[in-house]
């Protein structure tokens, strides 16, 4: 298993703007997952991108994956105050143990 | 139930006492995970169950921590002789299988405060 490193650690934007968060990892992956955590709650799965995919969309979310750079990005378009949360990436190591390891996340604040 | 349920939601205990934290996973989910999250930090993996077996206990911080799962369902995390550094939110998650490929479904956690 391996831990993803999210960047930046914190991001503050105005409602309506786009938010981009990045994730880097170290070894080959099977898939990479993004999760959101609202304050005082558990994590919620947002989107999973497989190693053979380069881009995936879900509503206002767009995830890209560059396996050559071992990085992924999460773009939230037209952000809303309700998007305020911490966002975590979790790379699943190819052929490795099954557990998902989470980093410290990106804390996103969307100001109304 | 619709989601992963954890109880209690909050627990305050005195240093040196034992505590038990409970997790009810989603029905039919064979894999169950425990994580710990200290204030402002990421999630620290503790232990993973596949059915009633724990193939990976590597994250348990000390022998004061133990966990069991019965009937392939409910899991209990026990912390003996609690210390102040055990204060954290303990999160449980379940998934359809243990491959890591299906997403994890998390409960809202138990906030443990050791005074």
């Amino acid at each position: 298993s391996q831990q993803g490193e999210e960047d930046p650690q914190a991001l503050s934007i105005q409602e309506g703007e786009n938010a981009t968060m990045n994730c880097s990892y170290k070894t080959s992956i099977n898939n990479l997952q993004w999760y959101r955590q609202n304050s005082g709650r558990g994590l919620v799965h947002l989107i999973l991108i497989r190693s053979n995919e380069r881009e995936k969309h879900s509503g206002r979310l767009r995830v890209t994956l560059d396996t050559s750079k071992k990085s992924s990005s999460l773009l939230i378009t037209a952000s809303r105050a309700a998007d305020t949360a911490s966002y975590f990436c979790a790379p699943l190591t190819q052929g490795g143990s099954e557990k998902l390891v989470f980093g410290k996340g990106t804390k996103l604040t969307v100001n109304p | 139930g619709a989601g992963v349920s954890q109880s209690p939601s909050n627990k305050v205990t005195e240093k040196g006492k034992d505590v038990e934290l409970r997790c009810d996973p989603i029905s039919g989910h064979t894999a169950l995970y425990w994580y710990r999250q200290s204030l402002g930090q990421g999630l620290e993996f503790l232990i993973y169950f596949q059915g009633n077996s724990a193939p990976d206990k590597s994250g348990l911080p000390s022998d004061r921590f133990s966990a069991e799962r019965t009937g392939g369902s409910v899991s209990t995390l026990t912390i003996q002789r609690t210390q102040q550094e055990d204060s954290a939110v303990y999160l449980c998650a379940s998934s359809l299988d243990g491959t890591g490929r299906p997403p994890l479904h998390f409960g809202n956690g138990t906030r443990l405060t050791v005074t």
Side-chain angles (χ1 to χ4, degrees), chain B residues 1-5 23-32 69 71-74 93-97 105:
Chain B
V4 176
S5 177
C23 173
D24 281 275
I26 293 173
S27 178
H29 280 195
T30 62
L32 186 147
R69 188 178 185 196
S73 181
V74 172
S94 69
S95 68
L96 271 174
D97 66 40
H105 297 259

Side-chain angles (χ1 to χ4, degrees), chain A:
Chain A
S1 59
Q2 61 178 310
Q3 180 175 308
E5 299 285 340
E6 295 92 352
D7 175 69
Q9 291 186 13
L11 180 60
S12 181
I13 60 174
Q14 296 300 121
E15 213 166 20
E17 294 180 340
N18 296 341
T20 300
M21 288 157 270
N22 303 297
C23 170
S24 59
Y25 57 91
K26 291 188 167 55
T27 62
S28 295
I29 59 170
N30 178 287
N31 68 53
L32 187 142
Q33 302 178 31
W34 284 91
Y35 288 78
R36 182 188 74 225
Q37 184 180 33
N38 291 92
S39 181
R41 312 281 286 183
L43 279 69
V44 174
H45 179 260
L46 293 176
I47 197 163
L48 180 154
I49 187 163
R50 294 183 172 80
S51 58
N52 61 354
E53 297 176 310
R54 291 296 166 259
E55 189 170 310
K56 203 159 181 182
H57 297 252
S58 176
R60 294 183 296 112
L61 303 181
R62 173 178 159 239
V63 167
T64 61
L65 179 66
D66 187 333
T67 52
S68 67
K69 294 182 179 176
K70 293 186 171 57
S71 68
S72 174
S73 66
L74 171 66
L75 168 68
I76 304 174
T77 59
S79 63
R80 305 167 181 168
D83 295 328
T84 294
S86 290
Y87 292 81
F88 296 87
C89 70
L92 181 69
T93 302
Q94 190 171 54
S97 105
E98 297 83 359
K99 68 183 183 229
L100 288 182
V101 181
F102 296 88
K104 294 185 178 180
T106 291
K107 187 173 173 61
L108 172 67
T109 303
V110 181
N111 301 299

Side-chain angles (χ1 to χ4, degrees), chain B residues 81-105:
Chain B
R81 304 181 303 281
T82 51
Q83 304 294 311
Q84 287 186 328
E85 62 261 29
D86 299 334
S87 295
V89 175
Y90 290 80
L91 291 165
C92 174
S94 69
S95 68
L96 271 174
D97 66 40
T99 64
R101 296 180 184 89
L104 270 59
H105 297 259

